[in-house]
Structures are given as structure tokens and as C-alpha cells.
Amino acid sequence: MRRQLIAGNWKMHGSHQANAELLAGILAARPFACDLAVCVPYPYLSETAVALAGSDLRWGAQDCSAHEQGAYTGEVAVAMLAEFGCRYAIVGHSERRLYHAESDQLVADKAKAALAHGITPIVCVGETLAQRDAGQTDAVVKRQLSAVIHALGHCAGEMVVAYEPVWAIGTGKVATPQQAQAVHAVLRAQLRAAAANADSMKILYGGSMKPDNAATLLAQPDIDGGLIGGASLKAADFVAICRAAS
Ligand code: PGA
């Protein structure tokens, strides 16, 4: 039995006060039967690290640089994140692929950089609505994951994968549990060919997961948690999803 992971992706939301209230609300509702993380905007990483010190609520970044250090204005190195206890970095989120033209190769390089510093990459894959309608879903997610598997080599088993259909992100149009499970099974099969521990790797679902649909999604055999956007910004909603997880 895989222990599930519920990870909040705050995206570009938050303030000192809102973050403090949100974190306090989550901390007060523990314990949960799943692993927990919040992926926060860079400026708030430090205060989040302080607020969560000594707790089992982990924290992560929403991106990282593929470069070790150097003249890359505006980028944040993995070594910097690692220095103050960052556990996860989301890489390849569809918003970065879309708005920042991130390629499969760049996403793979970021995942590799994260692992090199002991940070678990949460590697996002997912198809657009046009790709789904054209019957390309499996091919798209396999191509995206394959770049990362190739870059990580024998460390591929250390990543977390997140299946996030682009058409379900922030739209309220959630994938049905059957649609999500079908893609998760494809991804699991691909991981089995690449990593000896594929059956214990986590594949999260992301895309309009909410308190009212979390339980059925999380009950699917290959769904091992959630990457939660909008519903991670309200403590009550995030807590309800954590309670639906095992
Ligand atoms: P959503 O976002 O839950 O708001 O759809 C999920 C994500 O983009 O990670």
C-alpha cells in the first residue's frame, strides 16, 4: 500500500497574513494518514520553513533552475532551496510549459538538478483538451515522462509524478476517476519499465481536485495523492482533501 501525498500548489497567491492563517489551520487539523506538503511562492519559503519547523508538514518550491549557479537573472538554484530544508520542487507544471515555453528537456534537466540536491521533483505531465480530443493523451504524457526518465537514469524511481490534464486545471472540469485512473495506469506501466520500485512510486492527480471529488479520485488503484491548486488556499478545503487520503 502506497502512502498518499497531498501537496498544495499555491501558485502566485499569498501574503504574510494569509499564509500564516492557512498554515496554522492545516497544522491544527493534524494528524492525517497521508504525507503532506505545501509548495509556496519563493519569497515565502523562508517564513514557511520557520512556521513548519519540527512538523510533518513538508514544503516545496513551484519550480527551480536547471543550472547549478551563475548569471541567470531571476532564477533560483536548487542548492539555495536545499539550504533551508526544501523537500519538493514542482517541475514541468503546464503553466510553466505554456507561459515560459519550458520544453520536455528543460523539465527533465530541472528534475535532475533537484534530485542532485536531495529535493524530490514533482514532475507534472498532462495533455491539453485538443490533444485529448485527438486521441493523443497517452502519447503526450508518455513523451513528457520519457524525457525525465531518460535524464534521471537509475534515479528515476526517486521522483514523484503528477498527472495534470491541462483542461482540468483551474477550470472546475475534473477528470472522471476512470479517465484519471486510465492515464495513471499508463504512467505506472512506463515507470515499471524504468524503475525497480515503480510500484511504490507516487503518481498524483491534479486538476480541480476538491473536497467533494477527492475521495473517489483517491480511491483509484494508481492514484497516490493529489496536487491541489485552488482548494489548497483554504485550510478547510485542503484539510478535507487530506482527510480523504490514506
Ligand atoms: P487546480 O490546480 O487544483 O486549481 O485545478 C492544480 C494545479 O495546477 O496544480
Side-chain angles (χ1 to χ4, degrees):
M1 179 75 186
R2 291 178 286 268
R3 189 173 162 89
Q4 297 190 322
L5 167 65
I6 302 296
N9 172 13
W10 291 3
K11 308 195 180 188
M12 201 171 70
H13 295 286
S15 66
H16 286 308
Q17 192 184 334
N19 302 349
E21 287 170 12
L22 179 50
L23 291 174
I26 300 167
L27 288 172
R30 289 172 311 144
F32 301 107
C34 60
D35 290 340
L36 294 181
V38 287
C39 296
V40 312
Y42 288 136
Y44 300 124
L45 288 176
S46 180
E47 68 189 37
T48 301
V50 171
L52 301 184
S55 85
D56 57 356
L57 177 47
R58 307 261 156 74
W59 56 274
Q62 299 172 11
D63 185 31
C64 64
S65 177
H67 302 286
E68 193 61 31
Q69 62 169 348
Y72 300 102
T73 302
E75 296 261 297
V76 174
V78 180
M80 298 172 185
L81 298 172
E83 218 174 15
F84 50 108
C86 181
R87 289 291 298 265
Y88 296 100
I90 298 172
V91 298
H93 191 280
S94 61
E95 287 150 15
R96 298 218 49 97
R97 292 181 192 262
L98 180 65
Y99 304 137
H100 301 270
E102 292 198 3
S103 65
D104 293 343
Q105 187 57 52
L106 179 61
V107 172
D109 291 344
K110 289 182 173 192
K112 190 173 179 185
L115 269 187
H117 287 274
I119 291 178
T120 301
I122 301 177
V123 177
C124 299
V125 299
E127 82 288 3
T128 63
L129 189 55
Q131 289 165 332
R132 173 163 283 268
D133 288 346
Q136 297 168 346
T137 299
D138 292 3
V140 168
V141 298
K142 282 164 82 174
R143 187 202 73 220
Q144 291 171 332
L145 185 58
S146 154
V148 183
I149 287 173
H150 184 73
L152 298 188
H154 67 277
C155 297
E158 292 173 38
M159 71 175 135
V160 168
V161 177
Y163 169 55
E164 296 209 312
V166 178
W167 49 271
I169 295 175
T171 60
K173 280 187 204 150
V174 66
T176 65
Q178 293 73 23
Q179 283 174 319
Q181 166 57 29
V183 179
H184 281 236
V186 166
L187 295 170
R188 180 86 59 201
Q190 190 177 3
L191 291 172
R192 278 196 190 110
N197 66 334
D199 285 312
S200 56
M201 290 176 70
K202 295 189 206 311
I203 308 177
L204 314 182
Y205 169 81
S208 298
M209 191 185 273
K210 309 278 182 217
D212 63 355
N213 61 29
T216 45
L217 285 161
L218 293 169
Q220 301 304 306
D222 288 295
I223 299 185
D224 311 312
L227 184 55
I228 320 296
S232 74
L233 297 173
K234 280 195 201 143
D237 287 353
F238 190 69
V239 163
I241 294 172
C242 294
R243 292 214 168 105
S246 53

